[in-house]
C-alpha cells in the first residue's frame, strides 16, 4: 500500500510516498479501515518540518477518514461499510484529561504511525462514526481542528445562546469555532489581517470583523463592540504574541481557551490584568473520544459542513504543507485519495 512518510530529521523535501506492507486483517477488538482522506493541522506541520522530532520513516498525519472494510472479533460498534473518522488521542475514551494525554506518545502521525496510508488496522476505539452524508475529506477535519473548537466552546466553555465569542484568524480551528458558535446562537467576532478573509467570515455569520493590522489594539476594540463588557469566550490560537490582547478583550469571569502557539512557545503574560478580569485561562489539546462522538452528533443534527480551502492528492502532501505555511488558506486544507 502507498503511504506518505517523513525521513529524519524532517523537512518538507524529505516527505516521500513509499510502498509499505498491507496491514492485513483485524485482530480481536480491531477494525480494518480503507483510509481516503486526511486534513492538515499545525501539529502535523511541526512533525513534517522536523520541529517536533519523530521516528525516521514515520507515517504522517493525525487525521484520517475512510470506510470500515472488516471488523475483528468482539467489535460491535462498527460494521463493514461504516464511514469513520480517527481520534487524536485514541487512548482517551472519556472524562478529564489524564497523564496519558499529556504528550503525543500515542498520537497518530507523531508518537505512532499516522493516517497518510491507504489502509489501517487499529483498535476500534481509535475511531468514531463520521457524520452522515459527509465526504471523507470533510470528515477528516473533525479529528483535530473541529474537536478542538468543540471542546473549547462546548465541553469546557459551556457556551450558551447570546454569549459573545472571539476567534483569532481564519484557520481550521477558528472557522470551526465560528460555525459552532453560530449554531449555538452566539455573537461572533473574528480577527484577521485580510479584509477578504473577513468578508468570507462575515458570509459564514460573523457579526463583527476586526483587521488586526489596521487595529493593533484589537482587545480594546472587542470591548467597544461589546459595550465595554468584553467577550465571554476567546479561542486563542496565537499564543504569546496575542495573549495580552486576548486578556484585554475577555470579560470579567470569561473563558480563554489557549489552543495554539503560532506566535511562539513562551512570552510575557499580563498577570495583573488577568487577575482583574478573574478570567479562566485554560490550555487544551484536542479532546476525548466521547467529546468527538458528541460533536459528530451535533454536526449531523445541525447539518453543518466544514469549510475546505483546497484538497490535494496524497503524492502532493508536501505542496499542501507549503500552502499551509504560506498562511493564505481559509478554513481547512485536505488531502484525499
Amino acid at each position: 500500500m502507498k503511504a506518505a512518510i517523513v525521513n529524519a530529521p524532517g523537512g518538507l523535501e524529505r516527505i516521500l510516498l513509499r510502498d509499505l506492507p498491507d496491514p492485513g486483517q483485524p485482530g480481536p477488538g480491531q477494525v480494518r479501515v480503507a483510509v481516503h482522506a486526511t486534513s492538515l493541522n499545525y501539529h502535523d506541520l511541526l512533525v513534517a518540518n522536523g520541529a517536533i522530532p519523530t521516528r525516521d520513516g514515520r507515517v504522517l498525519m493525525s487525521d484520517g477518514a475512510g470506510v470500515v472494510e472488516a471488523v475483528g472479533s468482539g467489535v460491535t460498534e462498527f460494521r463493514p461499510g461504516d464511514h469513520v473518522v480517527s481520534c487524536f488521542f485514541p487512548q482517551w475514551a472519556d472524562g478529564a484529561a489524564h497523564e496519558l494525554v499529556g504528550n503525543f506518545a500515542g498520537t497518530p502521525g507523531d508518537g505512532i504511525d499516522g493516517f497518510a496510508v491507504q489502509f489501517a488496522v487499529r483498535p476500534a476505539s481509535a475511531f468514531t462514526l463520521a457524520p452522515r452524508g459527509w465526504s471523507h475529506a470533510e470528515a477528516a477535519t473533525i479529528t483535530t481542528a473541529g474537536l478542538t473548537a468543540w471542546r473549547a466552546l462546548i465541553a469546557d466553555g459551556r457556551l450558551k445562546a447570546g454569549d459573545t465569542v472571539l476567534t483569532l484568524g481564519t484557520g481550521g480551528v477558528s472557522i470551526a469555532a465560528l460555525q459552532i458558535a453560530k449554531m449555538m446562537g452566539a455573537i461572533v467576532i473574528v480577527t484577521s489581517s485580510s479584509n477578504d478573509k473577513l468578508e468570507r467570515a462575515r458570509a459564514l455569520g460573523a457579526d463583527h470583523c476586526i483587521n488586526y493590522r489596521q487595529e493593533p489594539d484589537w482587545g480594546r476594540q472587542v470591548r467597544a463592540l461589546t459595550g465595554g463588557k468584553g467577550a465571554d469566550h476567546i479561542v486563542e490560537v496565537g499564543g504569546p504574541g496575542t495573549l495580552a490582547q486576548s486578556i484585554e478583550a475577555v470579560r470579567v469571569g470569561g473563558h480563554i481557551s489557549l489552543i495554539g502557539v503560532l506566535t511562539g512557545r513562551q512570552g510575557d503574560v499580563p498577570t495583573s490584568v488577568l487577575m482583574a478580569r478573574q478570567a479562566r485561562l485554560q490550555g487544551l489539546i484536542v479532546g476525548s473520544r466521547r467529546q468527538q462522538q458528541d460533536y459528530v452528533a451535533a454536526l449531523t443534527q445541525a447539518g453543518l459542513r466544514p469549510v475546505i480551502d483546497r484538497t490535494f492528492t496524497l503524492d502532493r502532501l508536501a505542496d499542501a504543507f507549503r500552502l499551509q505555511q504560506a498562511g493564505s488558506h481559509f478554513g481547512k486544507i485536505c488531502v484525499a485519495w
Side-chain angles (χ1 to χ4, degrees):
M1 67 173 180
K2 298 295 184 183
I5 61 100
V6 63
N7 284 331
L12 301 188
E13 73 285 354
R14 299 175 72 86
I15 297 175
L16 303 171
L17 197 62
R18 285 285 184 257
D19 283 312
L20 297 182
D22 187 282
Q25 293 305 302
Q30 294 182 324
V31 294
R32 176 184 168 95
V33 175
V35 184
H36 291 296
T38 186
S39 76
L40 275 64
N41 303 285
Y42 187 59
H43 177 256
D44 297 304
L45 175 61
L46 294 181
V47 175
N49 67 19
I52 296 178
T54 190
R55 178 182 63 78
D56 185 43
R58 173 67 73 209
V59 177
L60 292 166
M61 310 309 290
S62 297
D63 301 355
V67 181
V68 174
E69 288 195 330
V71 301
S73 62
V75 175
T76 58
E77 186 174 357
F78 303 114
R79 60 186 179 182
D82 282 344
H83 287 212
V84 294
V85 59
S86 64
C87 297
F88 188 89
F89 288 123
Q91 70 276 40
W92 187 7
D94 198 357
H98 51 81
E99 187 175 356
L100 292 179
V101 296
N103 56 50
F104 302 114
T107 296
D110 188 338
I112 62 175
D113 280 339
F115 288 103
V117 293
Q118 290 181 299
F119 304 100
V121 173
R122 305 287 170 91
S125 57
F127 299 94
T128 71
L129 290 171
R132 292 192 300 272
W134 280 32
S135 71
H136 297 304
E138 288 174 325
T141 68
I142 289 172
T143 298
T144 304
L147 181 56
T148 297
W150 175 263
R151 178 184 168 192
L153 293 178
I154 306 301
D156 291 346
R158 305 299 180 190
L159 177 70
K160 62 183 185 300
D163 283 354
T164 298
V165 173
L166 170 65
T167 68
L168 307 188
T170 55
V173 173
S174 296
I175 293 302
L178 163 60
Q179 293 179 295
I180 292 166
K182 295 309 297 182
M183 176 184 73
M184 297 296 293
I187 299 163
V188 181
I189 304 172
V190 175
T191 70
S192 174
S193 62
S194 165
N195 286 330
D196 288 341
K197 289 183 178 181
L198 288 175
E199 284 306 309
R200 293 182 67 181
R202 198 181 297 277
L204 289 174
D207 299 276
H208 305 287
C209 295
I210 301 173
N211 186 313
Y212 63 79
R213 293 202 187 281
Q214 298 172 1
E215 185 61 62
D217 194 10
W218 47 265
R220 291 185 180 274
Q221 181 66 13
V222 171
R223 300 191 74 79
L225 289 170
T226 55
K229 174 185 172 184
D232 299 285
H233 306 266
I234 299 181
V235 180
E236 169 55 77
V237 300
T242 55
L243 184 56
Q245 286 295 317
S246 288
I247 292 172
E248 173 64 29
V250 73
R251 72 162 172 85
V252 173
H255 183 89
I256 302 173
S257 298
L258 182 58
I259 292 165
V261 290
L262 296 177
T263 62
R265 294 177 179 271
Q266 60 184 15
D268 295 330
V269 176
T271 52
S272 61
V273 181
L274 181 60
M275 291 169 60
R277 293 284 189 268
Q278 301 182 59
R280 180 157 53 119
L281 174 60
Q282 180 172 350
L284 70 148
I285 299 176
V286 196
S288 69
R289 185 173 188 263
R290 170 54 61 190
Q291 290 168 348
Q292 182 163 308
Q293 290 171 318
D294 291 343
Y295 180 39
V296 169
L299 291 169
T300 299
Q301 178 65 29
L304 282 181
R305 304 300 275 258
V307 176
I308 297 176
D309 184 280
R310 187 173 172 187
T311 301
F312 290 78
T313 53
L314 186 58
D315 61 332
R316 296 190 61 203
L317 178 57
D319 291 333
F321 278 124
R322 291 185 182 101
L323 176 62
Q324 183 185 24
Q325 281 185 318
S328 59
H329 60 288
F330 182 94
K332 293 292 291 179
I333 301 168
C334 293
V335 175
W337 56 95

